[in-house]
Amino acid sequence: MASTAAPHSDRALIWGVAVTLLATALRLCWVLAVPTVPVGDFAMYRESANYLSEWGALDHGFIYMPGFVVLLAMIKDAGGDLLAQKLLGVFFGGIGAAGVFATTLHLFDRPRVLGAAGPPSCATAIVAGLLYALWPAGIALSSVVGTDVPAAALIVVGTACLTGWGRTRPRLAALSFGAVMGLAAYVRAVALPLTALAAVYWLLTRRRPLATLKLTALSVATTLLVLAPWALRNRRHEGELFFTDSHGGITALIGTNPNSEGTYTRALNQLFKDVTGHSVLDEPHRLIDRQAYALAKDWARFEPTYAAGLAALRAERLFDEERLLLYWPVYRPGVLVPPHKAFFDRHRPTIEGAVNASGVFILAAFLAGLGLAASQRRWPAFVLLPYQLALAATYIVFFAEPRYRVPIEMLALPVVAFAQVGFARLFWAAQTGPPNEVTPTRLALIRAALLATALVAAVFELAPGLWATGARLRDSHRWAVTPWIVDGHTRLAKWRRADADLAEGGDAVLTGAPDGVRIRPHGDGRALVDVWLAGDDLPGGDYTLENQVVGAGPERTVTFSGCPPDGVCLLHHAGGPFHATVTVSSTAAVWISEMKLTARPK
């Protein structure tokens, strides 16, 4: 991927091959030395591949992008077993090293480095390649039979194509970038919109607006062309032409679930089926996905403050401690067989401490690199930042896990290496001249160091405050969603603390579940809760309301807009949206379940 015009291409090629081989060898050794068992989503990928291999088609419940499953099926058809399928992580882990090396080489190792004339160098690319090769979490994740490493590797290979050929052969750069991003989108759909961000590279390398538009359009068109077979398949099977998968709405629904603070639960699957009559894996997948999107949007609009708190929680999960990247390859129950499990359990504090330290270093050095680039006005150094921000925004809006940040972290390594090499060069250059004289080089070092320190300090200081603010928003505006049986049909009911209750600033808490809602009153034993029926308006008339209340309070009373506690009561509804105020008086939490609302004969 190196430019043929680069005088340091031979040396760069040697080093690029060396770090790629090192990264591949380390990941191969890990896979061979630490046998693991695919669980969760990763077991599902293998099951889907087995179905594809046997029947020649994707199973009827498959709602993801097909690229990784197709690769697994090809390995199975060739006689490969689990170990052979794990070698995909080794292979993509290796080409990820090549992508990081080449991207760094062409962004930072130019004949004029840091604004000073000098011989061509590939020092920054070497450091980035070694960082990637020795990245502890990256090595561990290579044994996971999943899409995170392959998709991330293809994304950095795409940026290597863009930056490698962008200055000398722009059309080839645009075509190759679009093609590789199309392959990445076959693995994870989140890569598809990233193709348009090629415009940032063209603008930062001083392309004219018209040329930027043409080259970006060429990349986008190439990506769509690569994905065209999948889109045509969707047209045949789903009746619509679309280039992505059909689980974005389901993911968004999980991320907005108030009953579980945006984490996956099987209870949500049952709730969705009770309300819609369909499983999340039913066909047509596009229709089911739209129904999930509609529910997710409704839940986010119902309590925007809580939704903002959930977004902060998703951001916190995405950028949580580095040790959590070891969950799927090492520490999730069932992943390791007993002999190896005992070793990793025994050394867990040391292992997780070392991995956490590497994560803190990567983040701090990345921020320092951005500060150094800003101080020197090296704007091409910010080419990768929009990709990271776009990925982060997608996961914060929808759903986040720590492993989803793998491509974000890989894209940070070129800037991390730039910080190390750049500050080392500045510091070395500042040693020249009289010891007590403030030279321009020393001023540049001081300016860069101050800006980098300020950026690092700001992020490390502000992030915990953001997470704490999100927690306060969730605690103060927590709500719940439960099913009610209304005239024999299941409808959702949305519960939240009444405005009068919120105004008192108490600590009443709602907790929802598929079969009811738990209400923990204030310290004085009182709580006011509003409940609305979602969906269409309820016709006017008399209704019978049935419910069951369970609680430990000896003086427990629960009333629904004047109805007596427990049992059956009569309500008159004037027509329109149904709303009731629930008054709870109890010395302990109460559980309200089995809600039934039935129209009485006129």
Side-chain angles (χ1 to χ4, degrees), residues 155-223:
I155 289 172
V156 295
V157 169
T159 61
C161 293
L162 184 65
T163 58
W165 286 307
R167 293 180 181 273
T168 57
R169 305 178 70 181
R171 287 190 182 135
L172 177 60
L175 282 168
S176 59
F177 175 71
V180 175
M181 294 303 286
L183 295 176
Y186 266 114
V187 180
R188 286 186 77 95
V190 71
L192 174 57
L194 301 181
T195 308
L197 295 177
V200 176
Y201 172 79
W202 301 121
L203 289 173
L204 289 178
T205 52
R206 300 181 180 179
R207 295 281 174 178
R208 293 181 178 178
L210 183 58
T212 294
L213 183 62
K214 289 181 178 179
L215 291 168
T216 303
L218 182 59
S219 293
V220 172
T222 305
T223 297

Side-chain angles (χ1 to χ4, degrees), residues 484 493-502 504 510 517 519 526-533 545 547 557-565 569 571-573 577-585 592 595 597:
W484 279 26
K494 295 181 284 189
W495 309 67
R496 70 180 175 196
R497 291 166 59 190
D499 291 340
D501 193 80
L502 287 170
E504 294 181 6
L510 297 176
V517 61
I519 302 175
R526 297 180 302 106
L528 287 176
V529 177
D530 284 328
V531 56
W532 289 265
L533 277 181
L545 176 65
N547 66 90
T557 60
V558 178
T559 61
F560 285 80
S561 296
C563 278
C569 70
L571 285 175
H572 179 77
H573 180 57
F578 178 84
H579 164 255
T581 298
V582 182
T583 304
V584 176
S585 177
I592 306 173
M595 302 298 304
L597 191 63

Side-chain angles (χ1 to χ4, degrees), residues 540-559:
D542 294 325
Y543 288 84
T544 300
L545 176 65
E546 302 175 65
N547 66 90
Q548 180 177 340
V549 179
V550 179
E555 300 298 331
R556 182 193 73 226
T557 60
V558 178
T559 61

Side-chain angles (χ1 to χ4, degrees), residues 371 423 443-456:
F423 274 111
L443 280 175
L445 175 60
I446 294 171
R447 183 171 59 248
L450 288 175
L451 186 55
T453 302
L455 190 57
V456 172

